[in-house]
Amino acid sequence: MALHTWLLYLTAVIGLVLTPGPNSLLVLTHGTLYGYKKALWTTAGGVIGFAALMALSMFGIGALLQASANALVLLKWIGGAYLVWLGFQLWRAPPLQLDAAVGAIDKPGSALFRQGLLSALSNPKVILFFGAFLPQFLDPQGDLLLQFAVMALTFAVVEALAEFLLARAAHHVRPWLQRCGRGFNRCCGGLFAAMGAALPLTR
């Protein structure tokens, strides 16, 4: 993967992981209830779940590219349209509802890990998203396996770091999201739509 392509991908991934979703909410909640150290188990489960879904998406993309040389162009345009649609949906979404933590019962790390893993794996939209997102950065002439590995590792590191910081700052982030959640959703939705419109036109 060329350096400029990786930097573009890194920028897009950072925007992606900052977008509110079920795993972000779960980490935020666990960080508030059990402390950021315990929430690391939730983060680990979520990252492993996302990596598994990314691998499934990559497998499908690789098979499609082997079947048709023109498949990548089609994937880029379909994926771009899907990202624009997701951005529109996020723009319209209400702010996250975050209930205050009351009387939390401590849980073992394995239970938090399992919740993070299942939260990631139970959302089939993630496979569709990766199927739309990843082709924007692929070079069909390069080593697909190496490109997939770089993408997966980059995403895993950025996701883990973002969730750690979210858990660490949970007590401060929670009230801010309750006050400014709709504006935050609109910023993220606008970012998704801009990515969806611009990425298929790159190269």
Side-chain angles (χ1 to χ4, degrees):
M1 178 180 280
L3 179 60
H4 71 278
T5 303
W6 180 80
L7 290 174
L8 182 61
Y9 173 73
L10 176 63
T11 303
V13 165
I14 292 172
L16 167 63
V17 301
L18 292 178
T19 303
N23 274 75
S24 300
L25 179 58
L26 187 63
V27 168
L28 183 63
T29 302
H30 286 178
T32 302
L33 294 176
Y34 311 116
Y36 77 93
K37 291 183 179 179
K38 270 292 188 68
L40 291 176
W41 288 97
T42 313
T43 296
V47 169
I48 290 175
F50 283 135
L53 294 179
M54 184 179 284
L56 288 175
S57 296
M58 290 175 175
F59 178 78
I61 293 167
L64 190 58
L65 292 181
Q66 287 181 348
S68 171
N70 297 320
L72 185 61
V73 176
L74 182 61
L75 282 175
K76 282 192 171 189
W77 284 101
I78 293 175
Y82 181 65
L83 293 178
V84 170
W85 181 80
L86 284 180
F88 178 70
Q89 294 298 312
L90 186 56
W91 179 280
R92 299 176 58 204
L96 293 173
Q97 296 301 312
L98 305 171
D99 298 326
V102 178
I105 300 174
D106 194 27
K107 289 186 177 181
S110 58
L112 302 184
F113 176 88
R114 186 167 57 252
Q115 286 185 26
L117 179 66
L118 293 177
S119 177
L121 292 178
S122 63
N123 187 356
K125 293 180 181 179
V126 175
I127 296 181
L128 292 176
F129 179 84
F130 283 137
F133 183 68
L134 298 176
Q136 314 296 333
F137 305 95
L138 284 176
D139 177 6
Q141 307 303 320
D143 185 333
L144 290 179
L145 184 59
L146 178 60
Q147 292 179 74
F148 287 159
V150 170
M151 287 181 174
L153 181 61
T154 301
F155 180 85
V157 170
V158 174
E159 177 74 15
L161 180 60
E163 290 194 4
F164 168 76
L165 293 176
L166 186 60
R168 192 81 166 87
H171 288 284
H172 303 289
V173 173
R174 179 184 287 265
W176 179 83
L177 277 178
Q178 289 178 318
R179 290 195 310 272
C180 309
R182 185 173 293 276
F184 183 66
N185 283 353
R186 288 184 173 179
C187 288
C188 293
L191 176 64
F192 263 44
M195 279 196 307
L199 288 176
L201 303 175
T202 57
R203 293 188 204 281

